[in-house]
Amino acid sequence: GEDVEQSLFLSVREGDSSVINCTYTDSSSTYLYWYKQEPGAGLQLLTYIFSNMDMKQDQRLTVLLNKKDKHLSLRIADTQTGDSAIYFCAESIDYKLSFGAGTTVTVRA
Amino acid sequence: GAVVSQHPSWVICKSGTSVKIECRSLDFQATTMFWYRQFPKQSLMLMATSNEGSKATYEQGVEKDKFLINHASLTLSTLTVTSAHPEDSSFYICSARASVQGIEAFFGQGTRLTVV
């Protein structure tokens, strides 16, 4: 959606960390999400963060939220070839999800 | 996480015919389901929200007579594309929440519709 913006592409070397950034506009968002989509498939929920939190860590994934700047990031540690996919951030407003355009992450050997 | 199954995975139909896509929540009851459309290399566009036992709520610009949504049970919602035309060709994805306030929305695997 037009209210959620992401960079379109990210290339990262295997083993390095990936950082995907997202900005949103609606300060009333209650939850913010990261989804992963592999070719021809649906969306897989990776993680989500409540809007009153600053950070959430889940294994290789770290989500940072700067509510003042309306900026959300997803860090993937030790990126693997299986992490190649499109990553969508989304904000929840009135229980509806509004998605960014998606960041295509390519992991190179 | 919970499982949402969408069927068929892909379908090819002739222009002017109707196509029905099913979305099932397999291990939970979904009071609310959402239907999205995704164009190649683009984001998901919400088409409508369906609540079990009531009429769907369509987003602005989505033709309710063309995209018929039925949510007759707590585990099944269907999207019927009526009188399909080539411009309706797209990837359609459903998602389901266990409740209106449910934090997590689980997605089906999507249906690739091609109208020839």
Side-chain angles (χ1 to χ4, degrees), chain A residues 75-87:
Chain A
R75 178 177 180 270
I76 305 172
D78 187 25
T79 310
Q80 303 297 306
T81 54
D83 295 325
S84 292
I86 302 175
Y87 291 80

Side-chain angles (χ1 to χ4, degrees), chain A residues 30-46:
Chain A
T30 50
Y31 289 91
L32 294 129
Y33 301 80
W34 284 103
Y35 284 89
K36 177 183 180 182
Q37 185 180 35
E38 298 188 32
L43 271 66
Q44 173 195 352
L45 176 64
L46 289 177

Side-chain angles (χ1 to χ4, degrees), chain A residues 1 31 33 35 37 40-45 48 86 88 92 95-102, chain B residues 34 36 38 41-44 46 49 59 91 93 97 100-105 107-110:
Chain A
Y31 289 91
Y33 301 80
Y35 284 89
Q37 185 180 35
L43 271 66
Q44 173 195 352
L45 176 64
Y48 61 88
I86 302 175
F88 291 94
S92 178
Y95 309 112
K96 295 181 186 178
L97 293 180
S98 180
F99 288 86
Chain B
F34 303 87
Y36 295 86
Q38 185 180 30
K41 301 189 188 304
Q42 292 188 30
S43 185
L44 282 75
L46 179 64
T49 304
E59 296 299 303
F91 194 58
I93 308 178
R97 291 183 191 252
V100 175
Q101 296 86 3
I103 295 171
E104 299 185 29
F107 283 77
Q109 65 268 45

Side-chain angles (χ1 to χ4, degrees), chain B residues 17-23 33-37 47-51 54-58 62-72 76-84 88 92 94 113:
Chain B
T17 61
S18 295
V19 173
K20 180 184 283 189
I21 303 170
E22 293 187 347
C23 180
M33 289 188 173
F34 303 87
W35 286 96
Y36 295 86
R37 183 173 179 177
M47 299 173 66
T49 304
S50 79
N51 295 299
S54 63
K55 289 184 179 179
T57 304
Y58 290 80
V62 178
E63 299 175 61
K64 61 179 70 176
D65 293 331
K66 180 163 189 60
F67 298 100
L68 300 179
I69 291 172
N70 183 276
H71 193 160
L76 174 64
S77 175
T78 60
L79 167 68
T80 302
V81 182
T82 63
S83 186
D88 299 323
Y92 293 87
C94 71
L113 170 63

Side-chain angles (χ1 to χ4, degrees), chain A residues 22-91:
Chain A
C22 171
T23 57
Y24 60 99
T25 57
D26 197 317
S27 58
S28 64
S29 300
T30 50
Y31 289 91
L32 294 129
Y33 301 80
W34 284 103
Y35 284 89
K36 177 183 180 182
Q37 185 180 35
E38 298 188 32
L43 271 66
Q44 173 195 352
L45 176 64
L46 289 177
T47 187
Y48 61 88
I49 187 167
F50 188 44
S51 58
N52 69 352
M53 295 172 64
D54 298 323
M55 185 182 88
K56 180 178 180 180
Q57 186 157 2
D58 183 2
Q59 299 182 336
R60 292 192 297 125
L61 305 178
T62 303
V63 179
L64 295 178
L65 175 60
N66 182 327
K67 196 172 181 181
K68 174 176 169 290
D69 294 338
K70 298 187 185 70
H71 181 267
L72 181 74
S73 69
L74 174 69
R75 178 177 180 270
I76 305 172
D78 187 25
T79 310
Q80 303 297 306
T81 54
D83 295 325
S84 292
I86 302 175
Y87 291 80
F88 291 94
C89 68
E91 59 177 345

